[in-house]
Amino acid sequence: MTPVPVIAGFDHHRVPVADQVSLHTAVGGSGTPVVLLHGFPQTHLMWRHVAPDLAADHTVICPDLRGYGASDKPAETDGSGYAKRTMAADIVALARELGHERFALAGHDRGALVAFRAALDHPDTITHLACLDVLPTLDMWEVMRGVSAAVGFHLYLMAQPPGLPERMINAAPDAFFGHFLDIWTTDPQAVPAEIRAAYLSACRGAVPSIVADYRASAGVDIEHDRADRAAGNRLRMPVSVLQQDWGAALGFEAAALWRDWAPDLRHTTVTCGHFMAEEAPDDIAKALRELLAR
């Protein structure tokens, strides 16, 4: 039997964070805490290179998000179960269960949206914030226009009412999720066969919850962002954003959009692909260390 991939040197726990919801979590190292949140279509394994580096002098916490990987996948009932506000509350509860009232937070892709919401909702808890290769949800929808936005077809598919998206994805889940693993990387070797298999297996078993996560970003998450924008709420902590130059294709200036939310911002455009923690882990670890020193 093929061994299940793990982050070398990390212990694994199931940590209760909400009623009938526990998160599968890898924890390693010691020192000031850093929580790392994965993206789509991945699990906590995307941090397998960066996490051990940071664990040399930090306690590093890598959960599978609610609805992903080996974490619990509650059925969506009222449209709020996979709101980024709910998923962010999971992460704050997770850190508290592990003994940390304040912590730095880094997220990639979907995890970055959860991290962004956690930093807005819990500014006294999040000491530093890093977001990898996303725009805030409200800004994302505002810049998605024209033929160039076809790259985000999955956003529109999973925004549809319950039923059709789930059926379509379940008809060929490996082809659907594998498509993104193929087109979003500039280095196919960055996601080796055993990791790819782990990602596909995890996604295959989580189609309803993954769709619910994306559907929330076409509804309740926009409402929360609009409310914060109207109230003038901004990120109070040091923020680092690393992302590809999507603005060149879609016609926006990413740094300017982020600066509206983050006065203390360092924005970096990367040359690697979307899965930057796997393609350029040394660069990402260095960027996170620089953030933590601010």
Side-chain angles (χ1 to χ4, degrees), residues 211-250:
V211 174
D213 166 32
Y214 273 87
R215 186 176 287 122
S217 286
V220 64
D221 294 344
I222 297 175
E223 296 173 12
H224 293 157
D225 280 8
R226 282 178 176 155
D228 277 311
R229 178 171 284 177
N233 293 335
R234 304 178 84 190
L235 298 164
R236 302 181 196 172
M237 65 292 297
V239 176
S240 287
V241 173
L242 294 88
Q243 59 192 145
Q244 299 176 91
D245 193 7
W246 291 110
L250 296 174

Side-chain angles (χ1 to χ4, degrees), residues 4-279:
V4 176
V6 297
I7 299 179
F10 275 52
D11 297 324
H12 291 259
H13 311 267
R14 286 195 65 79
V15 182
V17 296
D19 185 30
Q20 298 186 351
V21 178
S22 293
L23 301 186
H24 175 80
T25 306
V27 182
S30 63
T32 54
V34 182
V35 179
L36 305 177
L37 305 181
H38 67 84
F40 163 93
Q42 300 154 295
T43 69
H44 74 282
L45 288 172
M46 66 155 281
W47 298 107
R48 64 192 177 279
H49 304 305
V50 174
D53 184 319
L54 296 179
D57 44 17
H58 295 279
T59 298
V60 182
I61 302 165
C62 303
D64 287 337
L65 295 167
R66 169 191 293 236
Y68 287 81
S71 289
D72 287 337
K73 304 168 182 64
E76 181 61 273
T77 57
D78 63 0
S80 68
Y82 289 88
K84 302 308 148 303
R85 173 160 288 162
T86 302
M87 297 172 78
D90 286 348
I91 302 309
V92 172
L94 169 70
R96 188 169 293 131
E97 283 289 324
L98 295 174
H100 307 291
E101 293 296 327
R102 285 168 54 79
F103 57 94
L105 183 57
H108 173 257
D109 189 83
R110 308 305 294 173
L113 300 180
V114 175
F116 173 78
R117 177 45 54 192
L120 282 172
D121 286 358
H122 307 274
D124 295 328
T125 299
I126 310 304
T127 63
H128 301 75
L129 174 67
C131 291
L132 277 55
D133 220 26
V134 295
L135 290 175
T137 300
L138 181 58
D139 297 292
M140 175 192 72
W141 286 112
E142 290 177 349
V143 304
M144 295 289 284
R145 65 176 72 90
V147 173
S148 296
V151 67
F153 78 94
H154 61 300
L155 301 171
Y156 297 92
L157 171 63
M158 291 190 275
Q160 303 309 310
L164 182 62
E166 293 87 346
R167 289 178 60 192
M168 292 177 68
I169 295 168
N170 270 320
D174 286 6
F176 179 77
F177 295 112
H179 169 77
F180 302 103
L181 293 173
D182 292 335
I183 69 166
W184 286 350
T185 181
T186 59
D187 177 12
Q189 301 306 312
V191 184
E194 68 274 14
I195 299 297
R196 181 188 179 92
Y199 289 163
L200 293 179
S201 176
C203 290
R204 201 182 305 129
V207 171
S209 52
I210 290 174
V211 174
D213 166 32
Y214 273 87
R215 186 176 287 122
S217 286
V220 64
D221 294 344
I222 297 175
E223 296 173 12
H224 293 157
D225 280 8
R226 282 178 176 155
D228 277 311
R229 178 171 284 177
N233 293 335
R234 304 178 84 190
L235 298 164
R236 302 181 196 172
M237 65 292 297
V239 176
S240 287
V241 173
L242 294 88
Q243 59 192 145
Q244 299 176 91
D245 193 7
W246 291 110
L250 296 174
F252 64 88
E253 185 184 349
L257 295 177
W258 270 105
R259 199 167 289 113
D260 284 343
W261 292 101
D264 186 358
L265 172 71
R266 291 188 185 175
H267 185 279
T268 303
T269 301
V270 302
T271 56
C272 59
H274 178 65
F275 302 116
M276 56 186 70
E278 295 175 280
E279 290 193 46

